Amino acid sequence: MIASFGVERKEVAKWAGITSSVFSLAQSLTAVPWGRASDRLGRKPVIMTGLLCTMICFLIWGMSSSLWMAITVRAIQGASNGNVGIIRTMVAEMVTEKELQPKAFSVMPLVWSVGSVFGPAFGGLFAKPADQWPGVFGNSTFFKKYPFVFPNMIGAIFFLISLATGILFLRETLESKRHSRDWGLVLGQRIKEAFRDHPRKRAQRLRRYSIQDAEVTAPLLGADGAPKMGARVGAVAEGRGGKAKPLPMSAVFSRQSVINLVSYTFLALHSVAFDQVLPVFLNYPPVTRTPENTSLPFRFTGGFGLTHARIGTIFAGYGIVSGLIQFLLFPVLCARFGVLKCFKVCVMTFPLVYIVTPYTVLIDDTTTRYAALCAILVVKSFAVIVGFPCTTILLTNSAASLSILGTLNGFATTFSALGRASGPALTGVAFTWGVKHDFIGLPWWILASIAALGIVPAWMIVEGDGPSGAASPDESEDEDTEVDDEIAVTDDEGDCEGLEASQTSTLTPEALSEDAAALDDDLLGISGPESSNDYGTSRNGTSPSRTP
C-alpha cells in the first residue's frame, strides 16, 4: 500500500515504519486518559467507543489516496483506541486467583493469534479486487480508485460483530458501575430468552425472582414509609467498600511496577519492530552476491523476493503456530515452572532469534532456506506468545490495588506504544540504510542489542501477590453468610405477594426505633459491647417481636 503512493521501493520500509510509529505514538499520548476514563465511567463504554472509532478509521484508512492522508488516519486511529490496557484490566478484575491467571491472560494473545491468521490473508487475498477478479469487480470504479479498501470493508464486518456482542453481552467489571442498569444487557437477555426455550417456561422463569432481582427493583421505602431491608444491606455493602478512598498517583508507580513497565516497553519495542520489518525483508528481491557487496560475517544484502500473497500465507501459518502454543503449552508451562521463570527464558531467547534471522538469505538451497525461516518464526512465536501474557500477569500482580489497575494499564499501553513507535521507525530507517550500503542485517542486530538490554530489568522483577481490593472466594462466602444473618424471618401470615414475596426480611418497628448512632454502628458493621448483635435481633440479644 505504501508503494502505491509513489514511494520508491528502497524507501518503503522507512515510510512503513513511520506510518506504524505514528499510530503507536498517538496511542501513547491518549492511553492514560482512556485508562482514567475507564476508572471513572466504566470499562464497557470506553471499550465500545474505542471499537467504533477504530472501525471508522479502518474504513477511511483503506480509502487513503496519499501518504500523508494514510499517516493522519493512522494517528487518529491510534489516539481513539485505548482498549488493550482496559481489556487487561477487565481480565484482572474478573480473575483474581493467581493459579487461574495464566489461562485467563492467555485468551487475549490467543485471539490475537487468530487475528494474525486471517488478517494477513485478507490483506493479501482481497487487496486490489479489480485486478484479481476482473470478472466480478473489473467494472467497479470505486474499487479501481480505492484498491485497498475491500479487505478493510471485510474487517469492518468483524468490528460490527464485536460491537454488537459487546453491547449485548459484555458485563461491566468496574465495582462502582457494576450494578448500574445496562440496557444493552437487558436487550441481550431478551434475545437469549427468545431463542432459549418454550414461552411457557420463560414466563415461569420470569415470575421466579431472586433476592438480588427484587432488591434492584423494589423501592427503598415500604408502604408505611419504613426502609426496606435491601436498603440497609446495600448501605452495609457501601460502607464496606463502596466509598473507598482513591489511592494517590504515586501508588501506581511502585518500584516493581516501574520495573515491569520498563521490561514491558523493551518487549513491545523489539517484538513489534521485528513483525514490521520482516514483511519488507521477505518482499525485498534477492541479490546476487559478489565480492563488491558481500564480506562476511556482516556485509551482505538481499531478501527473499516473495509476493504479498506468499507473505500473507507465511504470517497465517505463523498465527496458527502461535495459537497452538498459546492454547496447548502456555498454561502448562506457567503452572509447572512459574510465570517469572518462563518470562526470563523468553527474554533470553529474543536476541538469539534476531541475530540469526538475516543469515537465512545466505542459504542457497531453497528448501533449507525456507525451513530455517520457519524454525526461526516458530521459536520467535514461542517467545512472544509466552512472554507477553507473562509480563502482563507480572505487571498486574505488581499493582497495589484494583482501583489503580486501569490507570496502571494505561501507562503500560503508553510506554509500550512508545516502544512500538520507536522500534518500527528505527528498524525502517536502518533497513533503508542497510540496503543502500549492503548491510541487510543491520535492523536485526539493532533489535538483538535492544532485546539484550531488556534482559536486565527482567532479572530485577519480583513476582507480587496481586492487587488488593477484590474479594477472594472465601471472603465472598463470608459476605454471603453475613448478609444471610442480617436478613430477618419473613412474615408468618405470608401475605406479601409479587416482588414483596421475594423479600426475605423487613426491618421491624422496634429496630427502626433505635437511635441514629446505634443504627450507624450496625450499618458500618462495627462490633462493640452494645452493637455486637446481628441484624434482626434487639440490643440485649433477644429476638424482636414479629412485624404485625
Side-chain angles (χ1 to χ4, degrees):
M1 183 175 181
I2 300 297
S4 68
F5 297 139
V7 178
E8 295 183 9
R9 186 159 193 169
K10 292 184 177 181
E11 299 288 324
V12 169
K14 180 182 72 176
W15 286 106
I18 292 174
T19 304
S20 176
S21 299
V22 165
F23 173 89
S24 300
L25 182 62
Q27 190 179 48
S28 69
L29 297 177
T30 60
V32 174
W34 281 120
R36 294 181 68 86
S38 73
D39 286 338
R40 292 186 177 185
L41 305 177
R43 319 298 185 200
K44 181 175 179 177
V46 175
I47 288 178
M48 295 299 103
T49 301
L51 279 175
L52 179 62
C53 294
T54 303
M55 181 185 69
I56 295 173
C57 293
F58 204 63
L59 292 173
I60 300 176
W61 160 262
M63 294 186 288
S64 298
S65 56
S66 66
L67 179 62
W68 293 110
M69 179 181 176
I71 292 175
T72 302
V73 173
R74 287 290 285 172
I76 297 174
Q77 186 177 10
S80 61
N81 191 341
N83 284 1
V84 174
I86 300 172
I87 292 175
R88 291 196 191 106
T89 303
M90 294 188 73
V91 174
E93 289 173 332
M94 290 186 291
V95 182
T96 57
E97 295 84 358
K98 292 183 65 175
E99 61 272 12
L100 299 179
Q101 285 180 335
K103 290 185 178 180
F105 281 97
S106 67
V107 174
M108 194 172 173
L110 178 61
V111 175
W112 184 276
S113 300
V114 173
S116 66
V117 173
F118 294 101
F122 285 151
L125 296 178
F126 298 111
K128 299 181 179 181
D131 297 336
Q132 295 197 61
W133 301 288
V136 180
F137 301 105
N139 298 325
S140 175
T141 305
F142 178 78
F143 287 120
K144 288 182 178 180
K145 185 177 181 180
Y146 306 111
F148 298 98
V149 73
F150 188 46
N152 291 37
M153 294 173 66
I154 297 176
I157 296 176
F158 290 95
F159 275 109
L160 285 175
I161 295 174
S162 299
L163 273 170
T165 303
I167 292 173
L168 296 177
F169 306 113
L170 180 63
R171 296 184 179 276
E172 180 61 60
T173 60
L174 183 64
E175 181 61 32
S176 61
K177 301 290 183 180
R178 186 178 299 175
H179 303 293
S180 300
R181 190 168 184 82
D182 189 333
W183 291 105
L185 290 180
V186 173
L187 179 59
Q189 185 65 27
R190 296 289 180 87
I191 294 175
K192 287 193 297 184
E193 290 172 353
F195 294 96
R196 181 179 294 174
D197 49 23
H198 192 273
R200 181 180 299 176
K201 293 182 179 179
R202 185 166 64 251
Q204 293 175 354
R205 186 176 62 255
L206 289 176
R207 289 196 297 267
R208 196 180 303 129
Y209 293 97
S210 66
I211 297 176
Q212 181 181 359
D213 297 331
E215 291 291 347
V216 169
T217 56
L220 295 179
L221 294 178
D224 56 354
K228 294 283 185 176
M229 189 61 195
R232 192 171 187 179
V233 174
V236 174
E238 183 177 354
R240 290 194 191 111
K243 295 191 176 183
K245 189 175 181 179
L247 295 176
M249 184 61 69
S250 59
V252 178
F253 296 105
S254 64
R255 183 176 185 274
Q256 281 302 310
S257 293
V258 171
I259 294 174
N260 277 279
L261 286 173
V262 173
S263 181
Y264 184 58
T265 302
F266 272 105
L267 179 59
L269 191 157
H270 60 72
S271 64
V272 174
F274 179 94
D275 293 337
Q276 290 291 329
V277 75
L278 181 63
V280 182
F281 173 65
L282 296 178
N283 179 252
Y284 193 77
V287 175
T288 302
R289 292 190 294 276
T290 63
E292 289 75 16
N293 63 18
T294 304
S295 179
L296 297 177
F298 299 114
R299 189 182 180 192
F300 58 94
T301 187
F304 278 69
L306 301 180
T307 63
H308 294 290
R310 293 286 297 276
I311 295 173
T313 303
I314 290 176
F315 272 85
Y318 177 64
I320 293 175
V321 172
S322 300
L324 293 176
I325 293 173
Q326 188 71 60
F327 186 72
L328 299 177
L329 295 181
F330 173 70
V332 177
L333 292 175
C334 286
R336 178 163 184 173
F337 300 105
V339 174
L340 185 56
K341 288 183 179 179
C342 291
F343 180 65
K344 289 180 178 179
V345 171
C346 292
V347 296
M348 290 190 298
T349 304
F350 286 112
L352 301 177
V353 170
Y354 299 154
I355 288 173
V356 301
T357 297
Y359 290 99
T360 54
V361 298
L362 300 178
I363 302 176
D364 294 327
D365 183 69
T366 303
T367 303
T368 306
R369 183 168 65 250
Y370 280 106
L373 177 65
C374 291
I376 290 173
L377 291 180
V378 168
V379 176
K380 197 265 182 179
S381 173
F382 174 86
V384 168
I385 291 301
V386 176
F388 264 108
C390 282
T391 188
T392 301
I393 294 173
L394 293 170
L395 179 64
T396 299
N397 292 336
S398 70
S401 172
L402 284 177
S403 62
I404 61 163
L405 194 54
T407 303
L408 178 61
N409 277 315
F411 277 107
T413 303
T414 294
F415 292 127
S416 67
L418 289 174
R420 288 185 283 113
S422 57
L426 177 63
T427 53
V429 173
F431 188 90
T432 301
W433 189 92
V435 167
K436 292 179 180 180
H437 297 84
D438 300 328
F439 284 93
I440 195 74
L442 181 62
W444 311 107
W445 301 328
I446 292 176
L447 292 180
S449 301
I450 295 173
L453 289 175
I455 297 177
V456 177
W459 247 255
M460 300 171 63
I461 295 175
V462 177
E463 189 171 1
D465 296 328
S468 62
S472 64
D474 294 337
E475 291 172 347
S476 300
E477 293 175 3
D478 293 341
E479 291 180 2
D480 293 339
T481 304
E482 187 175 337
V483 171
D484 290 339
D485 292 339
E486 292 166 355
I487 298 176
V489 183
T490 55
D491 192 359
D492 289 338
E493 283 75 13
D495 54 348
C496 297
E497 297 179 356
L499 287 179
E500 295 296 331
S502 68
Q503 307 296 321
T504 61
S505 66
T506 60
L507 286 179
T508 65
E510 289 80 355
L512 291 176
S513 63
E514 299 289 348
D515 59 280
L519 181 58
D520 289 341
D521 287 345
D522 286 344
L523 294 178
L524 294 174
I526 299 175
S527 297
E530 294 185 351
S531 60
S532 60
N533 56 306
D534 294 334
Y535 295 115
T537 62
S538 63
R539 184 179 298 275
N540 59 10
T542 59
S543 298
S545 59
R546 303 273 184 182
T547 303

